[in-house]
Amino acid sequence: MMTKGKVVDFASAGEKHRHARDNDDKDAKLDAMRARFEQAFPDKPTPVKDYLKKKRDSKKKR
C-alpha cells in the first residue's frame, strides 16, 4: 500500500516526459537543417537563368 507522501505528480514537478524531450530534440535538428538549406540555396527560384540573362545583356551593350 502506498501512502500519499510517496506519490509524485510529474505535472506539478515540472519535469518533461521522454516523449516531449524527444520531440524537442527532433524539432531542434529540423530547425538546424532548415537553416543550412536556407544558406545553401538562394531565395531566387531561377538564379542560373538570371545570371545568364545578365551576362547576355552585358554582351549586347558592348
Side-chain angles (χ1 to χ4, degrees), residues 38-59:
E38 287 174 4
Q39 289 177 353
F41 297 109
D43 293 336
K44 290 183 180 181
T46 57
V48 175
K49 287 182 181 178
D50 292 343
Y51 171 76
L52 292 175
K53 183 179 177 189
K54 183 179 176 183
K55 190 172 180 180
R56 199 176 318 121
D57 290 343
S58 69
K59 285 184 177 182

Side-chain angles (χ1 to χ4, degrees), residues 16 19-37:
K16 285 190 172 185
H19 182 69
R21 281 194 318 259
D22 289 345
N23 281 341
D24 290 344
D25 291 342
K26 288 178 184 177
D27 288 342
K29 287 180 184 178
L30 286 174
D31 290 339
M33 286 177 67
R34 282 188 190 105
R36 281 186 272 152
F37 273 102

